[in-house]
Amino acid sequence: MSTTPVRSLVLWLPDWPITALLREEAAAERPGTAADRPVAVVERNLVVACSASARAEGVRRGQRRRDAQARCSRLRVVTTDAARDHRTFAPVVSLVEKRAPGVQLVRPGLCALRARGPARYYGGEAEAARVLIGALREHGFDDVRAGVADGPFTAEQAATIATTADDPVFVVPAGGAAGFLAPLSVAALDASAMGMGSSSSRADSTGDLVGLLARLGVQTLGGFAAMDTDRVRERFGERGVRLHALAAGRDSRPVEPRTPPPELQREIAFEPPLEIADQVAFAMRVTADDFVAGLGAVDLVCTELRVELVGDRGERSERVWLHPGSFDAAAVVDRVRWQLAEDVGATGEGLRSGVTLVRISPEAVDAASHHAPAIFGGGPEERVHHALSRVQAMLGHRGVLTPTVGGGRWLAERQVLVPWGDRHERDRHPRSADSLAAQRARPWPGSLPDPLPATVFADPVPIDVRALGGELVDVDERGSVSAVPAFLIEGGRRRAIEAWAGPWPVVERGWDAARARRAHRFQVVDADGGAWLLVCEGDAWTAEAVYD
């Protein structure tokens, strides 16, 4: 393998965690962060990034959280989110790839590529860097820096140290890496270990080595490069030899371009805008076929579909749809039509003008082999699935409903009817959807534990529970029964009580006097062997369910 450094071009977007936070909040239209408000991103109680306004008030990277807040009392502190940083940086890499293929994602906010190809195409290394910076600025990324040098390490130092917002490009001449790096602090090696994809253990070992060099009096990369290679190997091992080569400008690492992911989403624009849902659905047929074919080309199927609709006035409608199996083209068109129909429902929310754009993208995919039909067919299950899907396609999204068990304190409210193929959602907006599993996992104080009764009355059945003397049994504020339950009267029929347990309180909305509810549950076994779940609320008794 060649050890000659390859001319590399590095693009750096300063303070990327801050940029990612602001862009994501702006896209979601969430208030709370003005562009000039001081913001700091914190990890392990240390500041890892801060905005320009925060730096103006004395906040710096590496500060403890409390020290940063002491310097800036109005500082907004946000926890680091690696997923957010990667998610928002992916479009940046895609934009660079449109102008110069072969991009390596070093870390969110920093990417590298071989300089030779872009330099020959755009007429020079500096010209290529300016073209890429201009392309990013057109999409709202105002502060972009570029460094060109022998090897990614030197190019990164050129971009992060030798550039400014007014002069964003710095080119280290070929063969001049050692001279450029010589006056820099050895701390640059630690930053490189954290950024170039090293594991945390290797990054920690690099930090230990940098700290040891400082204690030995080696403060600059030039001083470290002047040390004898054999002595470095004896003292620091092969890891030290590698860092010694970086300090001397002999960065043999190649730029490793990423393989761009396949473009799975599809969209269609309408000019003029379409006002009728059936027109939009008809126009979507070819796009839906192309979408399904694109997934099939990479042996995937879509199990969750995101549909985005854009209106002529700029309003948007976005929702994630599920399918009991996987989406075909007809199912995709159905979801677009259903979403349009629900948006113009009784609430009046959603699109209020003609549709100008429809975008469909896979929210979740699965291997196509998992959904291939069996050799001898799928039997009754497959026939039921196809029958219900056909009926739903004819009647609409809520034309076929299936019962599921949801969360709640009362048994009647735990039965939820959801459209065929969907999961239970409390809110149809995808960002506030509460899945059935999450809802059932809530504590629900006062809810009934398993095993649950088999028969639940849709409307509670009025009954009376009385003591031996005939007086009505009730529960006082301390949760004590006024007398021992002796018999219950249901529908005019008197049943002796053989055994009973309770009461178990159920308290709801105690903070709201108008809607507060306080009741007590009892389990009762009558003389005929029937097991009842009873509710006492005030001086009124009802039967909530029966254990069959």
Side-chain angles (χ1 to χ4, degrees), residues 22 33-39 51-53:
L22 297 178
T33 303
D36 58 346
R37 181 180 177 184
V39 185
S51 63
S53 56

Side-chain angles (χ1 to χ4, degrees), residues 465-513:
V465 176
R466 298 187 176 273
L468 283 176
E471 66 273 16
L472 186 67
V473 178
D474 59 11
V475 182
D476 62 22
E477 295 181 355
R478 300 175 63 88
S480 301
V481 293
S482 59
V484 176
F487 57 89
L488 62 89
I489 303 173
E490 180 266 328
R493 181 181 176 185
R494 177 169 172 160
R495 305 169 188 262
I497 295 177
E498 295 290 333
W500 62 279
W504 297 289
V506 182
V507 181
E508 290 186 309
R509 295 182 292 272
W511 60 90
D512 187 345

Side-chain angles (χ1 to χ4, degrees), residues 424-436:
H424 173 47
E425 295 180 345
R426 295 182 61 194
D427 190 323
R428 64 188 182 94
H429 193 286
R431 289 189 178 176
S432 59
D434 188 6
S435 68
L436 174 63

Side-chain angles (χ1 to χ4, degrees), residues 268 270 272-285 333 336-337 340 355:
I268 181 173
F270 304 114
L274 299 182
E275 302 280 352
I276 303 175
D278 287 340
Q279 292 178 334
V280 177
F282 182 80
M284 277 292 301
R285 292 178 183 273
V333 174
V336 174
R337 185 171 64 249
L340 284 168
V355 179

